[in-house]
Amino acid sequence: MSFVNAHFVTYARDLGYHPMAAAGAFSLIGASAVIGSLIMGHLSDQHGRRWLLTASYYLRAMGFVVVLLSMGVPALGIPSLGLGTLLVGVLLVGFSWNSVVSITAAYTSDRYGVANMGVIYGTMFAVMPIGSGLGAFLGGLFYDFRGTYDIAIWSNIVLLIAAMTLVAFRGERRPPELRAAEAAA
């Protein structure tokens, strides 16, 4: 998502959108992220975490596909689908953006208990800035070499599908103390 933070407005401007339309589309990411995290966090409490985390990664990957389609795919004979399509893609990306944070926290505590949450989350948030820095840097590097963000966006899609697949086939496991507490409740 640091790629999106660093490059989205420039990307939308390169597609020919007015700077205000590009900035407005970017602001929709933040607004839909708040809504997505609240809805998906609530749903994960009701229906389990793994499939909603998988769905969040899927929605973001599909959001990036829709963003790509908004500019058209000349090689496939797909014309530019315009600002409306770009906004749909942005809403999907935004909706799924923060939802993974709340669901990942709950999924991790369900899977490993809360006794090790500090170490687990500390490790995750120590490693994530490396990926964030690389995402923003590589997005700019790809743009400098090719004059387009296509490779960066396709890379996002591939990585999201990999994350989605890993979560989908990881399985659920609850520590014995959590199962005992739930049974008692």
Side-chain angles (χ1 to χ4, degrees):
M1 292 310 298
S2 63
F3 163 77
V4 173
N5 280 336
H7 300 284
F8 180 80
V9 173
T10 303
Y11 171 71
R13 289 184 66 193
D14 283 354
L15 295 178
Y17 296 112
H18 187 275
M20 287 302 290
F26 183 69
S27 70
L28 282 177
I29 292 172
S32 60
V34 170
I35 295 166
S37 65
L38 292 171
I39 291 172
M40 295 298 272
H42 173 73
L43 288 174
S44 78
D45 287 339
Q46 306 298 314
H47 305 288
R49 324 274 190 219
R50 184 169 54 116
W51 292 113
L52 285 165
L53 185 56
T54 301
S56 291
Y57 288 132
Y58 176 80
L59 285 174
R60 193 176 317 161
M62 291 303 99
F64 280 121
V65 169
V66 172
V67 165
L68 281 172
L69 289 174
S70 75
M71 66 180 226
V73 184
L76 299 176
I78 300 172
S80 173
L81 300 176
L83 182 61
T85 304
L86 178 70
L87 295 178
V88 169
V90 162
L91 287 170
L92 289 172
V93 169
F95 186 86
S96 63
W97 186 338
N98 279 347
S99 65
V100 300
V101 176
S102 59
I103 298 172
T104 299
Y107 180 73
T108 303
S109 66
D110 287 352
R111 187 159 180 83
Y112 301 105
V114 294
N116 296 312
M117 284 297 290
V119 171
I120 293 169
Y121 251 61
T123 302
M124 285 171 52
F125 283 98
V127 172
M128 280 185 356
I130 296 167
S132 293
L134 281 172
F137 172 75
L138 291 174
L141 189 66
F142 291 146
Y143 182 83
D144 287 345
F145 282 133
R146 296 195 19 101
T148 179
Y149 288 112
D150 291 359
I151 292 174
I153 295 172
W154 280 110
S155 298
N156 269 306
I157 293 166
V158 168
L159 290 171
L160 286 163
I161 291 170
M164 178 184 78
T165 304
L166 288 171
V167 171
F169 293 105
R170 178 71 179 147
E172 303 268 357
R173 181 179 72 89
R174 297 182 59 80
E177 67 272 11
L178 288 177
R179 286 193 301 259
E182 287 173 348

PDB file of all heavy atoms in Angstrom, residues 47-84:
ATOM      1  N   HIS A  47     -18.203 -14.281  11.874  1.00  0.00           N
ATOM      2  CA  HIS A  47     -18.114 -15.393  10.926  1.00  0.00           C
ATOM      3  C   HIS A  47     -16.726 -16.005  10.783  1.00  0.00           C
ATOM      4  O   HIS A  47     -16.525 -16.844   9.906  1.00  0.00           O
ATOM      5  CB  HIS A  47     -18.592 -14.934   9.542  1.00  0.00           C
ATOM      6  CG  HIS A  47     -19.963 -14.353   9.562  1.00  0.00           C
ATOM      7  ND1 HIS A  47     -21.094 -15.127   9.745  1.00  0.00           N
ATOM      8  CD2 HIS A  47     -20.393 -13.078   9.466  1.00  0.00           C
ATOM      9  CE1 HIS A  47     -22.166 -14.344   9.730  1.00  0.00           C
ATOM     10  NE2 HIS A  47     -21.767 -13.103   9.571  1.00  0.00           N
ATOM     11  N   GLY A  48     -15.792 -15.623  11.597  1.00  0.00           N
ATOM     12  CA  GLY A  48     -14.446 -16.188  11.494  1.00  0.00           C
ATOM     13  C   GLY A  48     -13.525 -15.278  10.705  1.00  0.00           C
ATOM     14  O   GLY A  48     -13.961 -14.399   9.970  1.00  0.00           O
ATOM     15  N   ARG A  49     -12.259 -15.528  10.867  1.00  0.00           N
ATOM     16  CA  ARG A  49     -11.252 -14.614  10.341  1.00  0.00           C
ATOM     17  C   ARG A  49     -10.661 -15.027   8.992  1.00  0.00           C
ATOM     18  O   ARG A  49     -10.460 -14.190   8.130  1.00  0.00           O
ATOM     19  CB  ARG A  49     -10.083 -14.496  11.313  1.00  0.00           C
ATOM     20  CG  ARG A  49     -10.468 -14.536  12.753  1.00  0.00           C
ATOM     21  CD  ARG A  49     -10.854 -13.200  13.285  1.00  0.00           C
ATOM     22  NE  ARG A  49     -10.966 -13.310  14.744  1.00  0.00           N
ATOM     23  CZ  ARG A  49     -11.891 -12.705  15.419  1.00  0.00           C
ATOM     24  NH1 ARG A  49     -12.795 -11.977  14.827  1.00  0.00           N
ATOM     25  NH2 ARG A  49     -11.931 -12.814  16.725  1.00  0.00           N
ATOM     26  N   ARG A  50     -10.351 -16.294   8.845  1.00  0.00           N
ATOM     27  CA  ARG A  50      -9.547 -16.731   7.713  1.00  0.00           C
ATOM     28  C   ARG A  50     -10.174 -16.374   6.378  1.00  0.00           C
ATOM     29  O   ARG A  50      -9.504 -15.829   5.496  1.00  0.00           O
ATOM     30  CB  ARG A  50      -9.299 -18.237   7.802  1.00  0.00           C
ATOM     31  CG  ARG A  50      -8.394 -18.751   6.721  1.00  0.00           C
ATOM     32  CD  ARG A  50      -7.967 -20.175   7.001  1.00  0.00           C
ATOM     33  NE  ARG A  50      -9.089 -21.053   7.210  1.00  0.00           N
ATOM     34  CZ  ARG A  50      -9.400 -22.067   6.424  1.00  0.00           C
ATOM     35  NH1 ARG A  50      -8.667 -22.333   5.377  1.00  0.00           N
ATOM     36  NH2 ARG A  50     -10.428 -22.817   6.674  1.00  0.00           N
ATOM     37  N   TRP A  51     -11.453 -16.656   6.208  1.00  0.00           N
ATOM     38  CA  TRP A  51     -12.066 -16.405   4.901  1.00  0.00           C
ATOM     39  C   TRP A  51     -12.274 -14.920   4.653  1.00  0.00           C
ATOM     40  O   TRP A  51     -12.193 -14.464   3.511  1.00  0.00           O
ATOM     41  CB  TRP A  51     -13.367 -17.201   4.746  1.00  0.00           C
ATOM     42  CG  TRP A  51     -13.066 -18.663   4.667  1.00  0.00           C
ATOM     43  CD1 TRP A  51     -13.391 -19.623   5.578  1.00  0.00           C
ATOM     44  CD2 TRP A  51     -12.299 -19.326   3.653  1.00  0.00           C
ATOM     45  NE1 TRP A  51     -12.883 -20.836   5.191  1.00  0.00           N
ATOM     46  CE2 TRP A  51     -12.203 -20.684   4.014  1.00  0.00           C
ATOM     47  CE3 TRP A  51     -11.671 -18.906   2.490  1.00  0.00           C
ATOM     48  CZ2 TRP A  51     -11.518 -21.624   3.239  1.00  0.00           C
ATOM     49  CZ3 TRP A  51     -10.987 -19.832   1.722  1.00  0.00           C
ATOM     50  CH2 TRP A  51     -10.925 -21.177   2.107  1.00  0.00           C
ATOM     51  N   LEU A  52     -12.479 -14.149   5.694  1.00  0.00           N
ATOM     52  CA  LEU A  52     -12.607 -12.704   5.499  1.00  0.00           C
ATOM     53  C   LEU A  52     -11.250 -12.059   5.216  1.00  0.00           C
ATOM     54  O   LEU A  52     -11.165 -11.112   4.425  1.00  0.00           O
ATOM     55  CB  LEU A  52     -13.290 -12.055   6.692  1.00  0.00           C
ATOM     56  CG  LEU A  52     -14.803 -12.326   6.692  1.00  0.00           C
ATOM     57  CD1 LEU A  52     -15.404 -12.013   8.037  1.00  0.00           C
ATOM     58  CD2 LEU A  52     -15.483 -11.530   5.597  1.00  0.00           C
ATOM     59  N   LEU A  53     -10.185 -12.582   5.803  1.00  0.00           N
ATOM     60  CA  LEU A  53      -8.852 -12.100   5.463  1.00  0.00           C
ATOM     61  C   LEU A  53      -8.528 -12.464   4.018  1.00  0.00           C
ATOM     62  O   LEU A  53      -8.021 -11.632   3.256  1.00  0.00           O
ATOM     63  CB  LEU A  53      -7.815 -12.690   6.427  1.00  0.00           C
ATOM     64  CG  LEU A  53      -6.382 -12.193   6.288  1.00  0.00           C
ATOM     65  CD1 LEU A  53      -6.303 -10.676   6.407  1.00  0.00           C
ATOM     66  CD2 LEU A  53      -5.493 -12.865   7.329  1.00  0.00           C
ATOM     67  N   THR A  54      -8.870 -13.682   3.627  1.00  0.00           N
ATOM     68  CA  THR A  54      -8.691 -14.103   2.234  1.00  0.00           C
ATOM     69  C   THR A  54      -9.489 -13.195   1.307  1.00  0.00           C
ATOM     70  O   THR A  54      -8.983 -12.731   0.276  1.00  0.00           O
ATOM     71  CB  THR A  54      -9.148 -15.572   2.063  1.00  0.00           C
ATOM     72  OG1 THR A  54      -8.372 -16.400   2.931  1.00  0.00           O
ATOM     73  CG2 THR A  54      -8.982 -16.047   0.638  1.00  0.00           C
ATOM     74  N   ALA A  55     -10.733 -12.893   1.678  1.00  0.00           N
ATOM     75  CA  ALA A  55     -11.584 -12.028   0.861  1.00  0.00           C
ATOM     76  C   ALA A  55     -11.007 -10.616   0.771  1.00  0.00           C
ATOM     77  O   ALA A  55     -11.086  -9.977  -0.292  1.00  0.00           O
ATOM     78  CB  ALA A  55     -12.998 -11.982   1.434  1.00  0.00           C
ATOM     79  N   SER A  56     -10.413 -10.127   1.843  1.00  0.00           N
ATOM     80  CA  SER A  56      -9.819  -8.786   1.813  1.00  0.00           C
ATOM     81  C   SER A  56      -8.671  -8.712   0.812  1.00  0.00           C
ATOM     82  O   SER A  56      -8.554  -7.754   0.045  1.00  0.00           O
ATOM     83  CB  SER A  56      -9.316  -8.391   3.206  1.00  0.00           C
ATOM     84  OG  SER A  56     -10.401  -8.188   4.073  1.00  0.00           O
ATOM     85  N   TYR A  57      -7.810  -9.740   0.819  1.00  0.00           N
ATOM     86  CA  TYR A  57      -6.722  -9.769  -0.160  1.00  0.00           C
ATOM     87  C   TYR A  57      -7.276  -9.881  -1.578  1.00  0.00           C
ATOM     88  O   TYR A  57      -6.777  -9.253  -2.512  1.00  0.00           O
ATOM     89  CB  TYR A  57      -5.762 -10.925   0.125  1.00  0.00           C
ATOM     90  CG  TYR A  57      -4.897 -10.703   1.347  1.00  0.00           C
ATOM     91  CD1 TYR A  57      -4.754 -11.695   2.305  1.00  0.00           C
ATOM     92  CD2 TYR A  57      -4.208  -9.506   1.538  1.00  0.00           C
ATOM     93  CE1 TYR A  57      -3.958 -11.504   3.415  1.00  0.00           C
ATOM     94  CE2 TYR A  57      -3.410  -9.310   2.650  1.00  0.00           C
ATOM     95  CZ  TYR A  57      -3.280 -10.314   3.581  1.00  0.00           C
ATOM     96  OH  TYR A  57      -2.488 -10.130   4.677  1.00  0.00           O
ATOM     97  N   TYR A  58      -8.311 -10.682  -1.746  1.00  0.00           N
ATOM     98  CA  TYR A  58      -8.937 -10.835  -3.063  1.00  0.00           C
ATOM     99  C   TYR A  58      -9.527  -9.506  -3.548  1.00  0.00           C
ATOM    100  O   TYR A  58      -9.337  -9.115  -4.708  1.00  0.00           O
ATOM    101  CB  TYR A  58     -10.021 -11.915  -3.004  1.00  0.00           C
ATOM    102  CG  TYR A  58     -10.784 -12.064  -4.290  1.00  0.00           C
ATOM    103  CD1 TYR A  58     -10.240 -12.782  -5.346  1.00  0.00           C
ATOM    104  CD2 TYR A  58     -12.036 -11.490  -4.457  1.00  0.00           C
ATOM    105  CE1 TYR A  58     -10.921 -12.911  -6.540  1.00  0.00           C
ATOM    106  CE2 TYR A  58     -12.732 -11.616  -5.645  1.00  0.00           C
ATOM    107  CZ  TYR A  58     -12.171 -12.332  -6.680  1.00  0.00           C
ATOM    108  OH  TYR A  58     -12.841 -12.447  -7.866  1.00  0.00           O
ATOM    109  N   LEU A  59     -10.251  -8.816  -2.669  1.00  0.00           N
ATOM    110  CA  LEU A  59     -10.846  -7.524  -3.047  1.00  0.00           C
ATOM    111  C   LEU A  59      -9.785  -6.527  -3.469  1.00  0.00           C
ATOM    112  O   LEU A  59      -9.967  -5.787  -4.440  1.00  0.00           O
ATOM    113  CB  LEU A  59     -11.663  -6.950  -1.887  1.00  0.00           C
ATOM    114  CG  LEU A  59     -13.006  -7.587  -1.605  1.00  0.00           C
ATOM    115  CD1 LEU A  59     -13.622  -6.994  -0.342  1.00  0.00           C
ATOM    116  CD2 LEU A  59     -13.947  -7.409  -2.789  1.00  0.00           C
ATOM    117  N   ARG A  60      -8.673  -6.503  -2.760  1.00  0.00           N
ATOM    118  CA  ARG A  60      -7.614  -5.566  -3.128  1.00  0.00           C
ATOM    119  C   ARG A  60      -7.005  -5.940  -4.469  1.00  0.00           C
ATOM    120  O   ARG A  60      -6.767  -5.075  -5.310  1.00  0.00           O
ATOM    121  CB  ARG A  60      -6.540  -5.502  -2.054  1.00  0.00           C
ATOM    122  CG  ARG A  60      -5.629  -4.311  -2.308  1.00  0.00           C
ATOM    123  CD  ARG A  60      -4.582  -4.071  -1.258  1.00  0.00           C
ATOM    124  NE  ARG A  60      -5.078  -4.209   0.084  1.00  0.00           N
ATOM    125  CZ  ARG A  60      -4.283  -4.408   1.123  1.00  0.00           C
ATOM    126  NH1 ARG A  60      -2.978  -4.481   0.966  1.00  0.00           N
ATOM    127  NH2 ARG A  60      -4.788  -4.521   2.330  1.00  0.00           N
ATOM    128  N   ALA A  61      -6.763  -7.232  -4.688  1.00  0.00           N
ATOM    129  CA  ALA A  61      -6.229  -7.657  -5.989  1.00  0.00           C
ATOM    130  C   ALA A  61      -7.195  -7.289  -7.115  1.00  0.00           C
ATOM    131  O   ALA A  61      -6.786  -6.753  -8.151  1.00  0.00           O
ATOM    132  CB  ALA A  61      -5.961  -9.163  -5.988  1.00  0.00           C
ATOM    133  N   MET A  62      -8.492  -7.539  -6.897  1.00  0.00           N
ATOM    134  CA  MET A  62      -9.480  -7.185  -7.924  1.00  0.00           C
ATOM    135  C   MET A  62      -9.573  -5.671  -8.103  1.00  0.00           C
ATOM    136  O   MET A  62      -9.777  -5.182  -9.212  1.00  0.00           O
ATOM    137  CB  MET A  62     -10.851  -7.760  -7.586  1.00  0.00           C
ATOM    138  CG  MET A  62     -10.919  -9.281  -7.688  1.00  0.00           C
ATOM    139  SD  MET A  62     -10.444  -9.911  -9.319  1.00  0.00           S
ATOM    140  CE  MET A  62      -8.736 -10.402  -9.043  1.00  0.00           C
ATOM    141  N   GLY A  63      -9.386  -4.923  -7.023  1.00  0.00           N
ATOM    142  CA  GLY A  63      -9.366  -3.463  -7.127  1.00  0.00           C
ATOM    143  C   GLY A  63      -8.245  -2.989  -8.035  1.00  0.00           C
ATOM    144  O   GLY A  63      -8.442  -2.109  -8.883  1.00  0.00           O
ATOM    145  N   PHE A  64      -7.067  -3.602  -7.877  1.00  0.00           N
ATOM    146  CA  PHE A  64      -5.953  -3.241  -8.752  1.00  0.00           C
ATOM    147  C   PHE A  64      -6.226  -3.649 -10.201  1.00  0.00           C
ATOM    148  O   PHE A  64      -5.844  -2.928 -11.128  1.00  0.00           O
ATOM    149  CB  PHE A  64      -4.644  -3.859  -8.253  1.00  0.00           C
ATOM    150  CG  PHE A  64      -4.007  -3.110  -7.125  1.00  0.00           C
ATOM    151  CD1 PHE A  64      -3.778  -3.724  -5.914  1.00  0.00           C
ATOM    152  CD2 PHE A  64      -3.627  -1.778  -7.271  1.00  0.00           C
ATOM    153  CE1 PHE A  64      -3.180  -3.043  -4.869  1.00  0.00           C
ATOM    154  CE2 PHE A  64      -3.032  -1.085  -6.231  1.00  0.00           C
ATOM    155  CZ  PHE A  64      -2.806  -1.715  -5.028  1.00  0.00           C
ATOM    156  N   VAL A  65      -6.866  -4.784 -10.408  1.00  0.00           N
ATOM    157  CA  VAL A  65      -7.237  -5.184 -11.773  1.00  0.00           C
ATOM    158  C   VAL A  65      -8.183  -4.146 -12.384  1.00  0.00           C
ATOM    159  O   VAL A  65      -8.010  -3.726 -13.533  1.00  0.00           O
ATOM    160  CB  VAL A  65      -7.872  -6.595 -11.794  1.00  0.00           C
ATOM    161  CG1 VAL A  65      -8.510  -6.904 -13.147  1.00  0.00           C
ATOM    162  CG2 VAL A  65      -6.829  -7.656 -11.445  1.00  0.00           C
ATOM    163  N   VAL A  66      -9.166  -3.715 -11.605  1.00  0.00           N
ATOM    164  CA  VAL A  66     -10.116  -2.713 -12.101  1.00  0.00           C
ATOM    165  C   VAL A  66      -9.402  -1.392 -12.388  1.00  0.00           C
ATOM    166  O   VAL A  66      -9.683  -0.729 -13.394  1.00  0.00           O
ATOM    167  CB  VAL A  66     -11.289  -2.531 -11.106  1.00  0.00           C
ATOM    168  CG1 VAL A  66     -12.171  -1.359 -11.499  1.00  0.00           C
ATOM    169  CG2 VAL A  66     -12.106  -3.815 -11.019  1.00  0.00           C
ATOM    170  N   VAL A  67      -8.450  -1.011 -11.538  1.00  0.00           N
ATOM    171  CA  VAL A  67      -7.663   0.204 -11.791  1.00  0.00           C
ATOM    172  C   VAL A  67      -6.934   0.079 -13.126  1.00  0.00           C
ATOM    173  O   VAL A  67      -6.922   1.012 -13.933  1.00  0.00           O
ATOM    174  CB  VAL A  67      -6.686   0.477 -10.622  1.00  0.00           C
ATOM    175  CG1 VAL A  67      -5.627   1.494 -11.012  1.00  0.00           C
ATOM    176  CG2 VAL A  67      -7.445   0.949  -9.395  1.00  0.00           C
ATOM    177  N   LEU A  68      -6.321  -1.074 -13.363  1.00  0.00           N
ATOM    178  CA  LEU A  68      -5.639  -1.290 -14.648  1.00  0.00           C
ATOM    179  C   LEU A  68      -6.617  -1.218 -15.821  1.00  0.00           C
ATOM    180  O   LEU A  68      -6.311  -0.635 -16.862  1.00  0.00           O
ATOM    181  CB  LEU A  68      -4.922  -2.643 -14.662  1.00  0.00           C
ATOM    182  CG  LEU A  68      -3.600  -2.719 -13.945  1.00  0.00           C
ATOM    183  CD1 LEU A  68      -3.114  -4.154 -13.882  1.00  0.00           C
ATOM    184  CD2 LEU A  68      -2.560  -1.838 -14.628  1.00  0.00           C
ATOM    185  N   LEU A  69      -7.798  -1.816 -15.655  1.00  0.00           N
ATOM    186  CA  LEU A  69      -8.794  -1.793 -16.725  1.00  0.00           C
ATOM    187  C   LEU A  69      -9.293  -0.382 -16.998  1.00  0.00           C
ATOM    188  O   LEU A  69      -9.684  -0.073 -18.127  1.00  0.00           O
ATOM    189  CB  LEU A  69      -9.968  -2.702 -16.385  1.00  0.00           C
ATOM    190  CG  LEU A  69      -9.698  -4.195 -16.434  1.00  0.00           C
ATOM    191  CD1 LEU A  69     -10.914  -4.977 -15.941  1.00  0.00           C
ATOM    192  CD2 LEU A  69      -9.301  -4.637 -17.827  1.00  0.00           C
ATOM    193  N   SER A  70      -9.271   0.476 -15.995  1.00  0.00           N
ATOM    194  CA  SER A  70      -9.766   1.840 -16.188  1.00  0.00           C
ATOM    195  C   SER A  70      -8.968   2.570 -17.255  1.00  0.00           C
ATOM    196  O   SER A  70      -9.496   3.417 -17.954  1.00  0.00           O
ATOM    197  CB  SER A  70      -9.735   2.617 -14.870  1.00  0.00           C
ATOM    198  OG  SER A  70      -8.421   2.987 -14.534  1.00  0.00           O
ATOM    199  N   MET A  71      -7.693   2.228 -17.391  1.00  0.00           N
ATOM    200  CA  MET A  71      -6.876   2.885 -18.404  1.00  0.00           C
ATOM    201  C   MET A  71      -6.907   2.152 -19.729  1.00  0.00           C
ATOM    202  O   MET A  71      -6.374   2.627 -20.715  1.00  0.00           O
ATOM    203  CB  MET A  71      -5.439   3.031 -17.927  1.00  0.00           C
ATOM    204  CG  MET A  71      -4.696   1.731 -17.751  1.00  0.00           C
ATOM    205  SD  MET A  71      -3.026   2.065 -17.203  1.00  0.00           S
ATOM    206  CE  MET A  71      -2.133   0.969 -18.286  1.00  0.00           C
ATOM    207  N   GLY A  72      -7.530   0.979 -19.738  1.00  0.00           N
ATOM    208  CA  GLY A  72      -7.603   0.193 -20.963  1.00  0.00           C
ATOM    209  C   GLY A  72      -6.422  -0.754 -21.080  1.00  0.00           C
ATOM    210  O   GLY A  72      -5.379  -0.554 -20.469  1.00  0.00           O
ATOM    211  N   VAL A  73      -6.609  -1.787 -21.864  1.00  0.00           N
ATOM    212  CA  VAL A  73      -5.546  -2.752 -22.150  1.00  0.00           C
ATOM    213  C   VAL A  73      -5.491  -2.903 -23.671  1.00  0.00           C
ATOM    214  O   VAL A  73      -6.167  -3.773 -24.239  1.00  0.00           O
ATOM    215  CB  VAL A  73      -5.804  -4.113 -21.463  1.00  0.00           C
ATOM    216  CG1 VAL A  73      -4.644  -5.065 -21.693  1.00  0.00           C
ATOM    217  CG2 VAL A  73      -6.064  -3.929 -19.968  1.00  0.00           C
ATOM    218  N   PRO A  74      -4.722  -2.029 -24.337  1.00  0.00           N
ATOM    219  CA  PRO A  74      -4.686  -2.048 -25.802  1.00  0.00           C
ATOM    220  C   PRO A  74      -4.305  -3.409 -26.389  1.00  0.00           C
ATOM    221  O   PRO A  74      -4.840  -3.817 -27.418  1.00  0.00           O
ATOM    222  CB  PRO A  74      -3.638  -0.989 -26.150  1.00  0.00           C
ATOM    223  CG  PRO A  74      -3.581  -0.091 -24.957  1.00  0.00           C
ATOM    224  CD  PRO A  74      -3.903  -0.967 -23.783  1.00  0.00           C
ATOM    225  N   ALA A  75      -3.401  -4.131 -25.714  1.00  0.00           N
ATOM    226  CA  ALA A  75      -2.978  -5.437 -26.227  1.00  0.00           C
ATOM    227  C   ALA A  75      -4.138  -6.425 -26.302  1.00  0.00           C
ATOM    228  O   ALA A  75      -4.137  -7.335 -27.119  1.00  0.00           O
ATOM    229  CB  ALA A  75      -1.862  -6.005 -25.359  1.00  0.00           C
ATOM    230  N   LEU A  76      -5.142  -6.235 -25.447  1.00  0.00           N
ATOM    231  CA  LEU A  76      -6.316  -7.108 -25.449  1.00  0.00           C
ATOM    232  C   LEU A  76      -7.515  -6.457 -26.133  1.00  0.00           C
ATOM    233  O   LEU A  76      -8.619  -6.990 -26.103  1.00  0.00           O
ATOM    234  CB  LEU A  76      -6.692  -7.486 -24.010  1.00  0.00           C
ATOM    235  CG  LEU A  76      -5.646  -8.258 -23.209  1.00  0.00           C
ATOM    236  CD1 LEU A  76      -6.115  -8.470 -21.780  1.00  0.00           C
ATOM    237  CD2 LEU A  76      -5.325  -9.586 -23.873  1.00  0.00           C
ATOM    238  N   GLY A  77      -7.304  -5.288 -26.691  1.00  0.00           N
ATOM    239  CA  GLY A  77      -8.395  -4.590 -27.363  1.00  0.00           C
ATOM    240  C   GLY A  77      -9.405  -3.963 -26.418  1.00  0.00           C
ATOM    241  O   GLY A  77     -10.518  -3.651 -26.808  1.00  0.00           O
ATOM    242  N   ILE A  78      -9.001  -3.740 -25.155  1.00  0.00           N
ATOM    243  CA  ILE A  78      -9.896  -3.144 -24.167  1.00  0.00           C
ATOM    244  C   ILE A  78      -9.613  -1.646 -24.120  1.00  0.00           C
ATOM    245  O   ILE A  78      -8.495  -1.235 -23.783  1.00  0.00           O
ATOM    246  CB  ILE A  78      -9.701  -3.781 -22.779  1.00  0.00           C
ATOM    247  CG1 ILE A  78      -9.998  -5.276 -22.836  1.00  0.00           C
ATOM    248  CG2 ILE A  78     -10.576  -3.083 -21.742  1.00  0.00           C
ATOM    249  CD1 ILE A  78      -9.654  -6.029 -21.565  1.00  0.00           C
ATOM    250  N   PRO A  79     -10.611  -0.826 -24.462  1.00  0.00           N
ATOM    251  CA  PRO A  79     -10.399   0.622 -24.427  1.00  0.00           C
ATOM    252  C   PRO A  79     -10.412   1.142 -22.987  1.00  0.00           C
ATOM    253  O   PRO A  79     -10.819   0.436 -22.067  1.00  0.00           O
ATOM    254  CB  PRO A  79     -11.602   1.166 -25.199  1.00  0.00           C
ATOM    255  CG  PRO A  79     -12.669   0.156 -24.946  1.00  0.00           C
ATOM    256  CD  PRO A  79     -11.966  -1.181 -24.871  1.00  0.00           C
ATOM    257  N   SER A  80      -9.989   2.375 -22.798  1.00  0.00           N
ATOM    258  CA  SER A  80     -10.052   3.009 -21.489  1.00  0.00           C
ATOM    259  C   SER A  80     -11.508   3.022 -21.014  1.00  0.00           C
ATOM    260  O   SER A  80     -12.410   3.366 -21.766  1.00  0.00           O
ATOM    261  CB  SER A  80      -9.523   4.439 -21.575  1.00  0.00           C
ATOM    262  OG  SER A  80      -9.731   5.096 -20.351  1.00  0.00           O
ATOM    263  N   LEU A  81     -11.712   2.620 -19.781  1.00  0.00           N
ATOM    264  CA  LEU A  81     -13.067   2.553 -19.237  1.00  0.00           C
ATOM    265  C   LEU A  81     -13.410   3.772 -18.388  1.00  0.00           C
ATOM    266  O   LEU A  81     -14.506   3.857 -17.853  1.00  0.00           O
ATOM    267  CB  LEU A  81     -13.248   1.261 -18.442  1.00  0.00           C
ATOM    268  CG  LEU A  81     -13.037  -0.025 -19.254  1.00  0.00           C
ATOM    269  CD1 LEU A  81     -13.137  -1.246 -18.365  1.00  0.00           C
ATOM    270  CD2 LEU A  81     -14.013  -0.112 -20.412  1.00  0.00           C
ATOM    271  N   GLY A  82     -12.475   4.698 -18.218  1.00  0.00           N
ATOM    272  CA  GLY A  82     -12.768   5.992 -17.642  1.00  0.00           C
ATOM    273  C   GLY A  82     -12.700   6.110 -16.132  1.00  0.00           C
ATOM    274  O   GLY A  82     -12.388   5.165 -15.407  1.00  0.00           O
ATOM    275  N   LEU A  83     -13.025   7.324 -15.698  1.00  0.00           N
ATOM    276  CA  LEU A  83     -12.921   7.703 -14.289  1.00  0.00           C
ATOM    277  C   LEU A  83     -13.836   6.870 -13.390  1.00  0.00           C
ATOM    278  O   LEU A  83     -13.437   6.489 -12.290  1.00  0.00           O
ATOM    279  CB  LEU A  83     -13.233   9.193 -14.119  1.00  0.00           C
ATOM    280  CG  LEU A  83     -13.112   9.758 -12.712  1.00  0.00           C
ATOM    281  CD1 LEU A  83     -11.690   9.621 -12.187  1.00  0.00           C
ATOM    282  CD2 LEU A  83     -13.558  11.216 -12.676  1.00  0.00           C
ATOM    283  N   GLY A  84     -15.026   6.553 -13.843  1.00  0.00           N
ATOM    284  CA  GLY A  84     -15.941   5.750 -13.022  1.00  0.00           C
ATOM    285  C   GLY A  84     -15.344   4.403 -12.668  1.00  0.00           C
ATOM    286  O   GLY A  84     -15.432   3.943 -11.526  1.00  0.00           O
TER     287      GLY A  84
END
